[in-house]
Amino acid sequence: MGQKGEETRGRLLDATRDLIESGGYFGAGLNQVITASGAPRGSLYFHFPGGKDQLVAESVRRAGREIGQVVHDLAETAPDTVTLVTAVLGLLGDRLEASGWRKGCPVATVALEMAATSDPLQEVCSEVYGSWEGSLRDRLAADGHPEAADVAVTVLALIEGALLLARAHRSREPLDRVSRQITALL
């Protein structure tokens, strides 16, 4: 695939991510994706012959890798897990607030809407969450935490819940509260 094809594919994935973050799986209709991306209809089916579920799955996987890379980059400079998680919460809060409280987690809406009815989408959501949990677990273990696996899933659940509450309340307060509790927990 040439550069133009990669750019078109990227625009389709970016548009899908934006639409699912703000409106969920059902808010990301193929016509909306085509309009938001500016890509021709034929390109959508060329790049994603599996249709909407393939497009959404690849978008979620890509978003998961991007956030995972941000966490990895922060982990390179953070002296400990508390600093890392506090920085992640701050960045996610900034992103959520800048979007007008529309963009929380790129995985959560798909997981909530589709995990029970679509095995491929459930698997992608599980894969992304598993990756994030693994990164937290590894960092906790490196910091010498004795229950790294259990604490990692707890921290991830607190972050996801805080994003949901911040979006619902249109306030950073849940993120700030969770940040304080994670600091106490760790």
Side-chain angles (χ1 to χ4, degrees):
M1 184 181 329
Q3 181 178 352
K4 185 176 180 182
E6 283 296 324
E7 289 172 5
T8 299
R9 189 174 197 286
R11 286 196 330 263
L12 289 163
L13 290 169
D14 290 343
T16 301
R17 177 184 178 167
D18 288 344
L19 289 166
I20 61 175
E21 279 190 77
S22 61
Y25 177 87
F26 298 105
L30 295 180
N31 289 333
Q32 288 90 348
V33 170
I34 290 166
T35 299
S37 69
R41 181 174 296 279
S43 293
L44 183 118
Y45 296 106
F46 173 78
H47 292 290
F48 305 98
K52 182 176 178 177
D53 280 1
Q54 180 187 5
L55 176 64
V56 170
E58 290 190 35
S59 178
V60 167
R61 187 175 284 120
R62 182 177 177 189
R65 282 193 307 264
E66 289 171 7
I67 291 175
Q69 186 62 51
V70 168
V71 172
H72 178 268
D73 292 348
L74 287 170
E76 294 288 312
T77 58
D80 54 34
T81 309
V82 172
T83 305
L84 169 64
V85 173
T86 301
V88 168
L89 279 165
L91 287 174
L92 293 173
D94 292 346
R95 185 175 175 275
L96 181 59
E97 191 170 8
S99 74
W101 308 104
R102 294 178 48 231
K103 294 183 179 183
C105 175
V107 182
T109 55
V110 175
L112 289 169
E113 292 177 340
M114 301 303 297
T117 59
S118 171
D119 290 343
L121 291 176
Q122 176 274 323
E123 290 169 8
V124 168
C125 292
S126 178
E127 171 190 314
V128 171
Y129 280 135
S131 171
W132 295 348
E133 185 182 326
S135 294
L136 285 169
R137 181 191 61 239
D138 293 348
R139 181 57 191 256
L140 285 160
D143 285 354
H145 203 288
E147 297 176 8
D150 289 349
V151 174
V153 75
T154 301
V155 168
L156 182 57
L158 286 168
I159 292 169
E160 286 295 309
L163 285 170
L164 176 64
L165 291 172
R167 190 172 178 185
H169 295 303
R170 295 183 181 174
S171 168
R172 290 182 76 112
E173 187 176 347
L175 296 164
D176 296 339
R177 287 180 174 182
V178 163
S179 182
R180 289 191 300 272
Q181 290 306 308
I182 288 173
T183 299
L185 174 69
L186 300 178

